[in-house]
Amino acid sequence: MESELKALWLLSVVLLVSNWKHWTHGKSVPQVPCYFVFGDSLFDNGNNNYLNTAAKVNYLPYGIDFDTGASGRCSNGLNIADTIAEQLGFDSYITHFGIGGCTNFLDGVNYGSSGAGILDITGSKSGELFTMNIQLYNHNITVSRIAKILGSEEDARKHLSQCIYVSDMGHNDYLNNYFLDNYNSSQIYDPEQFSQLLIETYETQLESLYRTGARKIALFGLIRVGCMPYNIQQNLDKLDASSCAYELNNDVQIFNGKLLGLVEKLNNKHSDARFTYINSYEIDSDNQTNKGFTYTHESCCLVEPRTVPCTSLSVPCSNRDDYVYWDGAHFTEAKALAFGKRAYKRQSPTDAHPYDISELVKLKLDDSDAYDINHAEL
Ligand SMILES: *[C@@H]1O[C@H](CO)[C@@H](O)[C@H](O)[C@H]1NC(C)=O
Ligand SMILES: *[C@@H]1O[C@H](CO)[C@@H](O)[C@H](O)[C@H]1NC(C)=O
Ligand SMILES: *[C@@H]1O[C@H](CO)[C@@H](O)[C@H](O)[C@H]1NC(C)=O
């Protein structure tokens, strides 16, 4: 009996250790009191599980390398938003908002939703989702709850001004709208006009986020969507030298250029806040981040032709760290880690402008008291 118990204990320790590859440093003090996440499927950590939509991935092999299995993340393990939480020193995952909200929201909430975009119409033909406007609405609910717990709106503002906010929006306005024939955007707007519509809408949304008290905001640009396995397959006649669909990449680059301009504009307007641009397009390049990956243009898991998601319960590749892409459109954990590392601490000057996330954390802003790491309990 005793030896059986010992074996069982040993087994559970082995399982715990092997599953818990991340957040191994025990109880750490985060560099900021909270971290709020707005985004699409690159950042969604389970919000779509609650929705009536085909765009959810709460089944294996998703999460095969995640401690609790399939969680709704579009990855075999962590996603980019997770890797940034880890680098910020949080000792566990940031909870998702879900429907109606979560209870432990003081250290931040993830509102990300697969399929979501800046425009309300984006993704609307593939089921329910939390658009950027809904994510902001949900954040307002969180903000009121924080004010209630901390006792006043002023205390809530102080708390919220010290936090890091990330937003990864725009991919689906192209992938799940502009590039699709069953949406009429590409008939109404040329690429330049469409990117302008996105930027103007995004500006209004970011102003609303600012009004809730957000002061340190990192805006992720768009990745090389033309290099996603799904888009390579769909555009075999329009590939460039690196085998990516150049038209798609060119279109999202117009948005990226304007987003950089929007960051400048917002920073000039709000001296008590800092916005920064994370150059996802450059960070996503084969050139540096993909160094060390053997397979940069193919999916690790089994994907039916002309689709994005992994086939349910299919057996994925075993050498997952050698792949950039997990399914037809989303990164493996290995790539998310490499990506998140460069967003947090730039590797080349163009990775982030004007700040990388580690610099954003350290900034002292006009009307926010510096966060005292020794009094981090809340
Ligand atoms: C959220 O709150 C801010 C500031 O109180 C407000 O300006 C904004 O309109 C609200 N947004 C939504 C979506 O309710
Ligand atoms: C485009 O589609 C939207 C939503 O389906 C519709 O409301 C709008 O009238 C359409 N515009 C044109 C010019 O066809
Ligand atoms: C590769 O990286 C170098 C150094 O950062 C840069 O100068 C060059 O433009 C990059 N090339 C491509 C194709 O991204």
mmCIF file of all heavy atoms in Angstrom, residues 236-278:
data_model
loop_
_atom_site.group_PDB
_atom_site.id
_atom_site.type_symbol
_atom_site.label_atom_id
_atom_site.label_comp_id
_atom_site.label_asym_id
_atom_site.label_seq_id
_atom_site.Cartn_x
_atom_site.Cartn_y
_atom_site.Cartn_z
ATOM 1 N N LEU A 236 -2.046 30.128 -54.590
ATOM 2 C CA LEU A 236 -0.843 29.513 -55.144
ATOM 3 C C LEU A 236 -0.344 30.240 -56.401
ATOM 4 O O LEU A 236 0.827 30.149 -56.753
ATOM 5 C CB LEU A 236 -1.089 28.033 -55.449
ATOM 6 C CG LEU A 236 -1.220 27.157 -54.196
ATOM 7 C CD1 LEU A 236 -1.654 25.742 -54.544
ATOM 8 C CD2 LEU A 236 0.086 27.134 -53.403
ATOM 9 N N ASP A 237 -1.239 30.987 -57.053
ATOM 10 C CA ASP A 237 -0.823 31.704 -58.262
ATOM 11 C C ASP A 237 -0.221 33.074 -57.959
ATOM 12 O O ASP A 237 0.222 33.764 -58.863
ATOM 13 C CB ASP A 237 -2.034 31.864 -59.191
ATOM 14 C CG ASP A 237 -3.223 32.506 -58.476
ATOM 15 O OD1 ASP A 237 -3.348 32.346 -57.236
ATOM 16 O OD2 ASP A 237 -4.027 33.179 -59.140
ATOM 17 N N LYS A 238 -0.254 33.492 -56.682
ATOM 18 C CA LYS A 238 0.216 34.851 -56.368
ATOM 19 C C LYS A 238 1.245 34.840 -55.242
ATOM 20 O O LYS A 238 1.114 35.569 -54.264
ATOM 21 C CB LYS A 238 -0.964 35.723 -55.915
ATOM 22 C CG LYS A 238 -2.007 35.954 -56.980
ATOM 23 C CD LYS A 238 -3.168 36.747 -56.400
ATOM 24 C CE LYS A 238 -4.439 36.514 -57.176
ATOM 25 N NZ LYS A 238 -5.644 36.619 -56.350
ATOM 26 N N LEU A 239 2.246 33.994 -55.354
ATOM 27 C CA LEU A 239 3.230 33.898 -54.280
ATOM 28 C C LEU A 239 4.487 34.688 -54.627
ATOM 29 O O LEU A 239 4.890 34.756 -55.782
ATOM 30 C CB LEU A 239 3.589 32.431 -54.015
ATOM 31 C CG LEU A 239 2.417 31.517 -53.614
ATOM 32 C CD1 LEU A 239 2.927 30.123 -53.259
ATOM 33 C CD2 LEU A 239 1.624 32.091 -52.449
ATOM 34 N N ASP A 240 5.082 35.275 -53.575
ATOM 35 C CA ASP A 240 6.341 36.005 -53.796
ATOM 36 C C ASP A 240 7.533 35.082 -53.546
ATOM 37 O O ASP A 240 7.367 33.875 -53.367
ATOM 38 C CB ASP A 240 6.392 37.252 -52.910
ATOM 39 C CG ASP A 240 6.393 36.911 -51.426
ATOM 40 O OD1 ASP A 240 6.667 35.742 -51.067
ATOM 41 O OD2 ASP A 240 6.105 37.811 -50.618
ATOM 42 N N ALA A 241 8.727 35.671 -53.505
ATOM 43 C CA ALA A 241 9.956 34.870 -53.401
ATOM 44 C C ALA A 241 9.984 34.008 -52.136
ATOM 45 O O ALA A 241 10.545 32.912 -52.139
ATOM 46 C CB ALA A 241 11.163 35.786 -53.439
ATOM 47 N N SER A 242 9.348 34.499 -51.059
ATOM 48 C CA SER A 242 9.363 33.709 -49.831
ATOM 49 C C SER A 242 8.135 32.804 -49.749
ATOM 50 O O SER A 242 7.791 32.310 -48.672
ATOM 51 C CB SER A 242 9.458 34.631 -48.616
ATOM 52 O OG SER A 242 8.364 35.514 -48.593
ATOM 53 N N SER A 243 7.450 32.610 -50.886
ATOM 54 C CA SER A 243 6.275 31.733 -50.975
ATOM 55 C C SER A 243 5.105 32.219 -50.146
ATOM 56 O O SER A 243 4.367 31.418 -49.581
ATOM 57 C CB SER A 243 6.595 30.295 -50.559
ATOM 58 O OG SER A 243 7.771 29.868 -51.128
ATOM 59 N N CYS A 244 4.935 33.514 -50.032
ATOM 60 C CA CYS A 244 3.777 34.051 -49.323
ATOM 61 C C CYS A 244 2.883 34.805 -50.311
ATOM 62 O O CYS A 244 3.365 35.295 -51.328
ATOM 63 C CB CYS A 244 4.216 35.014 -48.229
ATOM 64 S SG CYS A 244 5.211 34.228 -46.947
ATOM 65 N N ALA A 245 1.607 34.902 -49.996
ATOM 66 C CA ALA A 245 0.667 35.607 -50.870
ATOM 67 C C ALA A 245 0.913 37.109 -50.725
ATOM 68 O O ALA A 245 0.501 37.733 -49.754
ATOM 69 C CB ALA A 245 -0.761 35.249 -50.488
ATOM 70 N N TYR A 246 1.594 37.691 -51.714
ATOM 71 C CA TYR A 246 2.067 39.076 -51.567
ATOM 72 C C TYR A 246 0.928 40.085 -51.527
ATOM 73 O O TYR A 246 1.009 41.088 -50.832
ATOM 74 C CB TYR A 246 3.069 39.443 -52.664
ATOM 75 C CG TYR A 246 2.592 39.222 -54.085
ATOM 76 C CD1 TYR A 246 1.848 40.186 -54.755
ATOM 77 C CD2 TYR A 246 2.891 38.031 -54.755
ATOM 78 C CE1 TYR A 246 1.414 39.972 -56.040
ATOM 79 C CE2 TYR A 246 2.459 37.805 -56.044
ATOM 80 C CZ TYR A 246 1.708 38.780 -56.684
ATOM 81 O OH TYR A 246 1.259 38.570 -57.956
ATOM 82 N N GLU A 247 -0.176 39.825 -52.246
ATOM 83 C CA GLU A 247 -1.270 40.810 -52.248
ATOM 84 C C GLU A 247 -1.845 40.999 -50.845
ATOM 85 O O GLU A 247 -2.134 42.103 -50.425
ATOM 86 C CB GLU A 247 -2.382 40.359 -53.195
ATOM 87 C CG GLU A 247 -2.049 40.615 -54.645
ATOM 88 C CD GLU A 247 -3.201 40.306 -55.579
ATOM 89 O OE1 GLU A 247 -4.248 39.795 -55.101
ATOM 90 O OE2 GLU A 247 -3.058 40.571 -56.787
ATOM 91 N N LEU A 248 -2.000 39.878 -50.140
ATOM 92 C CA LEU A 248 -2.564 39.957 -48.789
ATOM 93 C C LEU A 248 -1.602 40.696 -47.865
ATOM 94 O O LEU A 248 -2.000 41.547 -47.063
ATOM 95 C CB LEU A 248 -2.842 38.551 -48.239
ATOM 96 C CG LEU A 248 -3.662 37.595 -49.109
ATOM 97 C CD1 LEU A 248 -4.082 36.383 -48.299
ATOM 98 C CD2 LEU A 248 -4.897 38.279 -49.684
ATOM 99 N N ASN A 249 -0.314 40.368 -47.987
ATOM 100 C CA ASN A 249 0.680 41.050 -47.152
ATOM 101 C C ASN A 249 0.715 42.542 -47.451
ATOM 102 O O ASN A 249 0.819 43.366 -46.532
ATOM 103 C CB ASN A 249 2.061 40.429 -47.364
ATOM 104 C CG ASN A 249 2.231 39.128 -46.582
ATOM 105 O OD1 ASN A 249 1.423 38.822 -45.707
ATOM 106 N ND2 ASN A 249 3.263 38.374 -46.892
ATOM 107 N N ASN A 250 0.620 42.892 -48.726
ATOM 108 C CA ASN A 250 0.647 44.317 -49.095
ATOM 109 C C ASN A 250 -0.540 45.056 -48.482
ATOM 110 O O ASN A 250 -0.399 46.171 -47.981
ATOM 111 C CB ASN A 250 0.609 44.485 -50.620
ATOM 112 C CG ASN A 250 1.919 44.027 -51.261
ATOM 113 O OD1 ASN A 250 2.907 43.812 -50.561
ATOM 114 N ND2 ASN A 250 1.910 43.851 -52.571
ATOM 115 N N ASP A 251 -1.713 44.442 -48.513
ATOM 116 C CA ASP A 251 -2.901 45.098 -47.965
ATOM 117 C C ASP A 251 -2.759 45.360 -46.465
ATOM 118 O O ASP A 251 -3.076 46.454 -45.990
ATOM 119 C CB ASP A 251 -4.156 44.246 -48.219
ATOM 120 C CG ASP A 251 -4.640 44.372 -49.668
ATOM 121 O OD1 ASP A 251 -4.040 45.155 -50.432
ATOM 122 O OD2 ASP A 251 -5.613 43.684 -50.028
ATOM 123 N N VAL A 252 -2.301 44.356 -45.712
ATOM 124 C CA VAL A 252 -2.219 44.592 -44.259
ATOM 125 C C VAL A 252 -1.090 45.565 -43.921
ATOM 126 O O VAL A 252 -1.143 46.246 -42.896
ATOM 127 C CB VAL A 252 -2.079 43.285 -43.427
ATOM 128 C CG1 VAL A 252 -3.258 42.362 -43.675
ATOM 129 C CG2 VAL A 252 -0.760 42.588 -43.658
ATOM 130 N N GLN A 253 -0.100 45.673 -44.796
ATOM 131 C CA GLN A 253 0.978 46.638 -44.545
ATOM 132 C C GLN A 253 0.470 48.082 -44.627
ATOM 133 O O GLN A 253 1.011 48.969 -43.976
ATOM 134 C CB GLN A 253 2.139 46.443 -45.520
ATOM 135 C CG GLN A 253 3.158 45.409 -45.064
ATOM 136 C CD GLN A 253 3.989 45.904 -43.883
ATOM 137 O OE1 GLN A 253 3.471 46.162 -42.797
ATOM 138 N NE2 GLN A 253 5.292 46.041 -44.084
ATOM 139 N N ILE A 254 -0.553 48.310 -45.433
ATOM 140 C CA ILE A 254 -1.128 49.663 -45.502
ATOM 141 C C ILE A 254 -1.735 50.012 -44.142
ATOM 142 O O ILE A 254 -1.536 51.099 -43.610
ATOM 143 C CB ILE A 254 -2.201 49.757 -46.614
ATOM 144 C CG1 ILE A 254 -1.603 49.328 -47.959
ATOM 145 C CG2 ILE A 254 -2.771 51.166 -46.697
ATOM 146 C CD1 ILE A 254 -2.630 49.284 -49.094
ATOM 147 N N PHE A 255 -2.450 49.041 -43.568
ATOM 148 C CA PHE A 255 -3.019 49.237 -42.220
ATOM 149 C C PHE A 255 -1.904 49.487 -41.210
ATOM 150 O O PHE A 255 -1.981 50.416 -40.392
ATOM 151 C CB PHE A 255 -3.843 48.002 -41.820
ATOM 152 C CG PHE A 255 -4.340 48.031 -40.395
ATOM 153 C CD1 PHE A 255 -5.535 48.652 -40.066
ATOM 154 C CD2 PHE A 255 -3.601 47.437 -39.370
ATOM 155 C CE1 PHE A 255 -6.001 48.688 -38.755
ATOM 156 C CE2 PHE A 255 -4.047 47.472 -38.048
ATOM 157 C CZ PHE A 255 -5.256 48.100 -37.753
ATOM 158 N N ASN A 256 -0.858 48.675 -41.262
ATOM 159 C CA ASN A 256 0.249 48.810 -40.301
ATOM 160 C C ASN A 256 0.872 50.198 -40.356
ATOM 161 O O ASN A 256 1.157 50.796 -39.314
ATOM 162 C CB ASN A 256 1.318 47.743 -40.573
ATOM 163 C CG ASN A 256 0.899 46.357 -40.093
ATOM 164 O OD1 ASN A 256 0.043 46.233 -39.212
ATOM 165 N ND2 ASN A 256 1.488 45.318 -40.656
ATOM 166 N N GLY A 257 1.068 50.703 -41.562
ATOM 167 C CA GLY A 257 1.654 52.039 -41.701
ATOM 168 C C GLY A 257 0.787 53.086 -41.023
ATOM 169 O O GLY A 257 1.274 53.977 -40.320
ATOM 170 N N LYS A 258 -0.512 52.953 -41.201
ATOM 171 C CA LYS A 258 -1.442 53.927 -40.609
ATOM 172 C C LYS A 258 -1.541 53.754 -39.089
ATOM 173 O O LYS A 258 -1.750 54.724 -38.362
ATOM 174 C CB LYS A 258 -2.828 53.781 -41.235
ATOM 175 C CG LYS A 258 -2.926 54.292 -42.670
ATOM 176 C CD LYS A 258 -4.341 54.111 -43.199
ATOM 177 C CE LYS A 258 -4.427 54.317 -44.688
ATOM 178 N NZ LYS A 258 -4.497 55.735 -45.049
ATOM 179 N N LEU A 259 -1.394 52.526 -38.628
ATOM 180 C CA LEU A 259 -1.458 52.288 -37.182
ATOM 181 C C LEU A 259 -0.275 52.972 -36.487
ATOM 182 O O LEU A 259 -0.418 53.554 -35.408
ATOM 183 C CB LEU A 259 -1.468 50.778 -36.894
ATOM 184 C CG LEU A 259 -1.599 50.369 -35.432
ATOM 185 C CD1 LEU A 259 -2.857 50.942 -34.792
ATOM 186 C CD2 LEU A 259 -1.586 48.843 -35.283
ATOM 187 N N LEU A 260 0.882 52.900 -37.128
ATOM 188 C CA LEU A 260 2.059 53.580 -36.594
ATOM 189 C C LEU A 260 1.776 55.087 -36.498
ATOM 190 O O LEU A 260 2.110 55.735 -35.497
ATOM 191 C CB LEU A 260 3.251 53.298 -37.513
ATOM 192 C CG LEU A 260 4.629 53.798 -37.086
ATOM 193 C CD1 LEU A 260 5.009 53.245 -35.725
ATOM 194 C CD2 LEU A 260 5.673 53.390 -38.132
ATOM 195 N N GLY A 261 1.138 55.626 -37.524
ATOM 196 C CA GLY A 261 0.772 57.045 -37.508
ATOM 197 C C GLY A 261 -0.223 57.351 -36.399
ATOM 198 O O GLY A 261 -0.142 58.391 -35.740
ATOM 199 N N LEU A 262 -1.167 56.446 -36.162
ATOM 200 C CA LEU A 262 -2.167 56.645 -35.111
ATOM 201 C C LEU A 262 -1.506 56.683 -33.731
ATOM 202 O O LEU A 262 -1.898 57.476 -32.862
ATOM 203 C CB LEU A 262 -3.226 55.526 -35.183
ATOM 204 C CG LEU A 262 -4.309 55.552 -34.105
ATOM 205 C CD1 LEU A 262 -5.075 56.876 -34.106
ATOM 206 C CD2 LEU A 262 -5.274 54.377 -34.274
ATOM 207 N N VAL A 263 -0.501 55.840 -33.534
ATOM 208 C CA VAL A 263 0.233 55.837 -32.269
ATOM 209 C C VAL A 263 0.860 57.208 -32.026
ATOM 210 O O VAL A 263 0.754 57.782 -30.932
ATOM 211 C CB VAL A 263 1.300 54.709 -32.263
ATOM 212 C CG1 VAL A 263 2.340 54.936 -31.176
ATOM 213 C CG2 VAL A 263 0.626 53.349 -32.094
ATOM 214 N N GLU A 264 1.481 57.770 -33.041
ATOM 215 C CA GLU A 264 2.085 59.111 -32.927
ATOM 216 C C GLU A 264 1.022 60.139 -32.557
ATOM 217 O O GLU A 264 1.200 60.969 -31.674
ATOM 218 C CB GLU A 264 2.703 59.525 -34.269
ATOM 219 C CG GLU A 264 3.800 58.598 -34.771
ATOM 220 C CD GLU A 264 5.173 58.996 -34.263
ATOM 221 O OE1 GLU A 264 5.371 60.189 -34.018
ATOM 222 O OE2 GLU A 264 6.019 58.090 -34.096
ATOM 223 N N LYS A 265 -0.117 60.060 -33.256
ATOM 224 C CA LYS A 265 -1.194 61.018 -33.049
ATOM 225 C C LYS A 265 -1.716 60.961 -31.611
ATOM 226 O O LYS A 265 -1.879 61.984 -30.942
ATOM 227 C CB LYS A 265 -2.313 60.713 -34.046
ATOM 228 C CG LYS A 265 -3.470 61.690 -34.020
ATOM 229 C CD LYS A 265 -4.503 61.339 -35.096
ATOM 230 C CE LYS A 265 -5.713 62.253 -35.010
ATOM 231 N NZ LYS A 265 -6.791 61.810 -35.913
ATOM 232 N N LEU A 266 -1.972 59.743 -31.131
ATOM 233 C CA LEU A 266 -2.521 59.587 -29.784
ATOM 234 C C LEU A 266 -1.515 60.051 -28.738
ATOM 235 O O LEU A 266 -1.879 60.648 -27.720
ATOM 236 C CB LEU A 266 -2.932 58.130 -29.549
ATOM 237 C CG LEU A 266 -4.146 57.651 -30.365
ATOM 238 C CD1 LEU A 266 -4.281 56.125 -30.311
ATOM 239 C CD2 LEU A 266 -5.430 58.306 -29.856
ATOM 240 N N ASN A 267 -0.233 59.772 -28.985
ATOM 241 C CA ASN A 267 0.790 60.201 -28.025
ATOM 242 C C ASN A 267 0.924 61.723 -27.987
ATOM 243 O O ASN A 267 1.168 62.305 -26.926
ATOM 244 C CB ASN A 267 2.141 59.562 -28.361
ATOM 245 C CG ASN A 267 2.217 58.127 -27.839
ATOM 246 O OD1 ASN A 267 1.484 57.749 -26.929
ATOM 247 N ND2 ASN A 267 3.100 57.336 -28.421
ATOM 248 N N ASN A 268 0.759 62.366 -29.129
ATOM 249 C CA ASN A 268 0.817 63.834 -29.149
ATOM 250 C C ASN A 268 -0.371 64.437 -28.433
ATOM 251 O O ASN A 268 -0.276 65.471 -27.785
ATOM 252 C CB ASN A 268 0.864 64.345 -30.597
ATOM 253 C CG ASN A 268 2.227 64.099 -31.222
ATOM 254 O OD1 ASN A 268 3.230 63.997 -30.506
ATOM 255 N ND2 ASN A 268 2.274 63.963 -32.531
ATOM 256 N N LYS A 269 -1.506 63.757 -28.537
ATOM 257 C CA LYS A 269 -2.740 64.291 -27.958
ATOM 258 C C LYS A 269 -2.791 64.086 -26.443
ATOM 259 O O LYS A 269 -3.282 64.944 -25.714
ATOM 260 C CB LYS A 269 -3.925 63.586 -28.625
ATOM 261 C CG LYS A 269 -5.256 64.152 -28.249
ATOM 262 C CD LYS A 269 -6.355 63.634 -29.161
ATOM 263 C CE LYS A 269 -7.712 64.004 -28.612
ATOM 264 N NZ LYS A 269 -8.772 63.170 -29.229
ATOM 265 N N HIS A 270 -2.313 62.928 -25.988
ATOM 266 C CA HIS A 270 -2.456 62.578 -24.570
ATOM 267 C C HIS A 270 -1.083 62.488 -23.905
ATOM 268 O O HIS A 270 -0.436 61.441 -23.947
ATOM 269 C CB HIS A 270 -3.173 61.235 -24.422
ATOM 270 C CG HIS A 270 -4.551 61.224 -25.006
ATOM 271 N ND1 HIS A 270 -5.588 61.960 -24.485
ATOM 272 C CD2 HIS A 270 -5.071 60.562 -26.071
ATOM 273 C CE1 HIS A 270 -6.686 61.759 -25.205
ATOM 274 N NE2 HIS A 270 -6.390 60.913 -26.174
ATOM 275 N N SER A 271 -0.679 63.566 -23.255
ATOM 276 C CA SER A 271 0.665 63.549 -22.657
ATOM 277 C C SER A 271 0.698 62.658 -21.416
ATOM 278 O O SER A 271 1.754 62.256 -20.957
ATOM 279 C CB SER A 271 1.088 64.966 -22.287
ATOM 280 O OG SER A 271 0.194 65.463 -21.310
ATOM 281 N N ASP A 272 -0.478 62.348 -20.862
ATOM 282 C CA ASP A 272 -0.513 61.517 -19.656
ATOM 283 C C ASP A 272 -0.677 60.043 -19.984
ATOM 284 O O ASP A 272 -0.880 59.220 -19.091
ATOM 285 C CB ASP A 272 -1.641 61.966 -18.730
ATOM 286 C CG ASP A 272 -3.013 61.837 -19.386
ATOM 287 O OD1 ASP A 272 -3.061 61.660 -20.637
ATOM 288 O OD2 ASP A 272 -4.020 61.909 -18.676
ATOM 289 N N ALA A 273 -0.582 59.689 -21.264
ATOM 290 C CA ALA A 273 -0.684 58.276 -21.661
ATOM 291 C C ALA A 273 0.401 57.976 -22.678
ATOM 292 O O ALA A 273 0.915 58.885 -23.337
ATOM 293 C CB ALA A 273 -2.057 57.991 -22.265
ATOM 294 N N ARG A 274 0.763 56.711 -22.789
ATOM 295 C CA ARG A 274 1.708 56.312 -23.834
ATOM 296 C C ARG A 274 1.141 55.118 -24.586
ATOM 297 O O ARG A 274 0.755 54.098 -24.003
ATOM 298 C CB ARG A 274 3.066 55.928 -23.254
ATOM 299 C CG ARG A 274 3.905 57.083 -22.707
ATOM 300 C CD ARG A 274 4.324 58.098 -23.762
ATOM 301 N NE ARG A 274 3.367 59.214 -23.850
ATOM 302 C CZ ARG A 274 3.481 60.243 -24.671
ATOM 303 N NH1 ARG A 274 4.516 60.320 -25.503
ATOM 304 N NH2 ARG A 274 2.578 61.191 -24.679
ATOM 305 N N PHE A 275 1.070 55.301 -25.890
ATOM 306 C CA PHE A 275 0.692 54.218 -26.788
ATOM 307 C C PHE A 275 1.957 53.747 -27.479
ATOM 308 O O PHE A 275 2.879 54.540 -27.701
ATOM 309 C CB PHE A 275 -0.291 54.728 -27.842
ATOM 310 C CG PHE A 275 -1.642 55.124 -27.284
ATOM 311 C CD1 PHE A 275 -1.817 56.348 -26.657
ATOM 312 C CD2 PHE A 275 -2.729 54.263 -27.384
ATOM 313 C CE1 PHE A 275 -3.058 56.709 -26.142
ATOM 314 C CE2 PHE A 275 -3.968 54.623 -26.878
ATOM 315 C CZ PHE A 275 -4.137 55.846 -26.251
ATOM 316 N N THR A 276 2.023 52.492 -27.823
ATOM 317 C CA THR A 276 3.173 52.037 -28.593
ATOM 318 C C THR A 276 2.742 51.031 -29.647
ATOM 319 O O THR A 276 1.709 50.367 -29.518
ATOM 320 C CB THR A 276 4.287 51.474 -27.684
ATOM 321 O OG1 THR A 276 5.501 51.409 -28.447
ATOM 322 C CG2 THR A 276 3.955 50.087 -27.160
ATOM 323 N N TYR A 277 3.536 50.981 -30.708
ATOM 324 C CA TYR A 277 3.251 50.100 -31.838
ATOM 325 C C TYR A 277 4.193 48.908 -31.779
ATOM 326 O O TYR A 277 5.411 49.069 -31.714
ATOM 327 C CB TYR A 277 3.477 50.894 -33.131
ATOM 328 C CG TYR A 277 3.437 50.081 -34.406
ATOM 329 C CD1 TYR A 277 2.251 49.533 -34.872
ATOM 330 C CD2 TYR A 277 4.595 49.890 -35.160
ATOM 331 C CE1 TYR A 277 2.214 48.808 -36.058
ATOM 332 C CE2 TYR A 277 4.569 49.162 -36.349
ATOM 333 C CZ TYR A 277 3.369 48.625 -36.788
ATOM 334 O OH TYR A 277 3.336 47.908 -37.958
ATOM 335 N N ILE A 278 3.617 47.723 -31.744
ATOM 336 C CA ILE A 278 4.429 46.509 -31.813
ATOM 337 C C ILE A 278 4.443 46.058 -33.273
ATOM 338 O O ILE A 278 3.383 45.801 -33.858
ATOM 339 C CB ILE A 278 3.860 45.392 -30.901
ATOM 340 C CG1 ILE A 278 3.750 45.874 -29.441
ATOM 341 C CG2 ILE A 278 4.731 44.138 -30.997
ATOM 342 C CD1 ILE A 278 5.044 46.242 -28.769
#
